[in-house]
């Protein structure tokens, strides 16, 4: 798995590449922790190149819901392929997290 | 259909395990999403065993067997864990509580239970076997 962080004028984008599983989720956690410490207020999570996610990855997403909320940070996921989106849906996490199909839609709702 | 794979207990092998499961299911009439769910369920059990039961010890081994019995797709994950998780005391965790407590864990077994029709664990003769069963529709059972 690889992570890329992009600072834009308004948005801070975290791009995820490859598989987020029990072995690699620590890297996603570090990226979220960094965004939190930088106090970025509008975070886009680009999942266009996310091929697979296991519970360890889901755990990272939901463990930051409260810290981001406390710091008035909005974050939104976009570009999930059907397999990855299904994994979020199995546990109803698609109702807890903001998820959009495209970057444009994500920007609009951020 | 009868597939078997052995992997040492290191997290880097999880990807190889997933590739094995996906390849084993390739001749079944399953959608990409269904295959991914089955791969995920096996991955979750293997990850738990590797990390919690075997502490990522590369000398320990997991064996994964995949076979079909009529309309049942059966996944066995075999290891030498003598004190497996007690499924009889397992209760589905509250997602809301996990969010509030900022937990990163606790979702794996919940996913496995949501995906599989039967989840069982058995220890016999120093061998621990996790058995995951998925009931197939008639149209899916073709090989």
């Amino acid at each position: 798995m690889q992570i890329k962080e992009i600072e834009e004028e308004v948005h801070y984008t975290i791009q995820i590449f490859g598989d987020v599983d029990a072995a690699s989720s620590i890297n996603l956690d570090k990226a979220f922790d960094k965004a939190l410490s930088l106090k970025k207020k509008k975070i886009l999570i680009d999942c266009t190149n996310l091929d697979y996610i296991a519970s360890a990855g889901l755990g990272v997403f939901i463990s930051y819901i409260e810290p981001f909320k406390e710091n008035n940070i909005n974050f939104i996921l976009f570009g999930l392929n059907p397999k990855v989106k299904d994994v979020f849906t199995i546990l109803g996490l698609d109702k807890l997290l903001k998820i959009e199909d495209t970057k444009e839609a994500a920007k609009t709702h951020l | 259909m009868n597939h078997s794979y052995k992997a040492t207990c290191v997290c880097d092998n999880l990807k190889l395990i997933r590739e094995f499961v996906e390849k084993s299911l390739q001749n079944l009439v399953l959608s990409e999403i269904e295959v991914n769910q089955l791969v995920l369920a096996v991955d979750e059990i293997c990850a738990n065993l590797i990390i919690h039961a075997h502490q990522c010890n590369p000398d320990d081994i997991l064996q994964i067997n995949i076979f079909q019995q009529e309309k049942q797709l059966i996944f066995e994950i075999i290891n030498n864990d003598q004190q497996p998780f007690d499924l009889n005391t397992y209760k589905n965790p509250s997602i809301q509580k996990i969010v509030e407590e900022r937990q990163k864990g606790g979702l794996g077994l919940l996913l496995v239970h949501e995906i599989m029709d039967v989840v069982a664990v058995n220890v016999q003769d120093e061998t621990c076997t996790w058995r995951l069963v998925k009931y197939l529709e008639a149209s899916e059972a073709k090989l």
Side-chain angles (χ1 to χ4, degrees):
Chain A
M1 188 200 81
Q2 280 192 319
I3 299 275
K4 280 186 186 173
E5 291 127 331
I6 302 166
E7 293 230 34
E8 293 171 284
E9 199 171 331
V10 179
H11 306 98
Y12 183 78
T13 302
I14 297 172
Q15 292 182 321
I16 311 171
F17 297 82
D19 296 6
V20 181
D21 63 5
S24 60
S25 63
I26 183 72
N27 298 319
L28 184 63
D29 191 38
K30 285 177 182 171
F32 276 36
D33 189 52
K34 182 179 169 186
L36 181 63
S37 63
L38 291 172
K39 300 202 181 299
K40 300 295 180 185
K41 296 300 180 192
K42 294 188 174 185
I43 302 173
L44 295 167
I45 316 291
D46 183 352
C47 300
T48 310
N49 296 294
L50 173 59
D51 297 324
Y52 175 84
I53 189 160
S55 70
L58 297 180
V60 172
F61 278 102
I62 66 171
S63 70
Y64 279 89
I65 291 175
E66 289 295 320
F68 281 167
K69 195 188 293 180
E70 281 175 3
N71 287 277
N72 296 316
I73 295 170
N74 287 315
F75 77 109
I76 190 162
L77 293 71
F78 71 90
L80 287 71
N81 73 42
K83 289 188 300 181
V84 169
K85 192 167 187 180
D86 173 69
V87 178
F88 281 86
T89 307
I90 291 170
L91 298 182
L93 303 184
D94 55 321
K95 303 285 190 293
L96 290 174
L97 298 162
K98 292 178 188 170
I99 300 175
E100 292 293 338
D101 289 337
T102 64
K103 185 172 184 176
E104 289 68 31
K107 278 181 171 178
T108 305
H109 290 95
L110 200 58
Chain B
M1 177 192 185
N2 199 340
H3 301 274
S4 188
Y5 185 76
K6 286 184 180 178
T8 55
C9 288
V10 293
C11 281
D12 284 348
N13 282 338
L14 288 170
K15 188 167 179 62
L16 297 174
I17 290 170
R18 294 197 295 272
E19 287 171 358
F20 158 72
V21 177
E22 186 173 357
K23 195 173 177 185
S24 299
L25 301 176
Q26 67 186 1
N27 290 329
L28 293 174
V29 185
L30 297 169
S31 70
E32 262 192 83
I33 286 177
E34 288 169 324
V35 169
N36 188 65
Q37 289 187 356
L38 298 171
V39 168
L40 175 64
V42 174
D43 184 44
E44 295 293 345
I45 298 296
C46 290
N48 276 344
L49 289 172
I50 288 172
I51 295 166
H52 300 297
H54 295 276
Q55 286 86 44
C56 301
N57 184 347
D59 294 328
D60 292 348
I61 288 175
L62 298 183
Q63 178 173 328
I64 300 110
N65 299 327
I66 303 175
F67 54 96
Q68 193 176 348
Q69 284 181 345
E70 298 182 352
K71 292 178 184 174
Q72 296 185 358
L73 197 52
I74 299 166
F75 303 82
E76 289 179 341
I77 300 115
I78 300 168
N79 70 120
N80 64 356
D81 179 19
Q82 297 303 299
Q83 293 180 310
F85 191 87
D86 185 359
L87 283 175
N88 293 320
T89 60
Y90 175 76
K91 288 180 183 170
N92 282 350
S94 154
I95 298 284
Q96 196 55 43
K97 194 177 174 191
I98 289 175
V99 171
E100 286 168 7
E101 295 182 353
R102 302 157 194 215
Q103 294 177 32
K104 291 185 173 65
L107 298 175
L109 208 46
L110 184 56
L111 274 172
V112 176
H113 277 98
E114 289 293 327
I115 293 167
M116 292 294 182
D117 295 301
V118 178
V119 181
V121 61
N122 177 49
V123 178
Q124 194 169 19
D125 298 331
E126 299 186 351
T127 297
C128 171
T129 303
W130 280 81
R131 189 176 171 92
L132 314 178
V133 181
K134 184 72 178 176
Y135 301 141
L136 297 171
E137 301 293 328
S139 60
E140 296 172 331
K142 296 172 187 171
L143 286 174

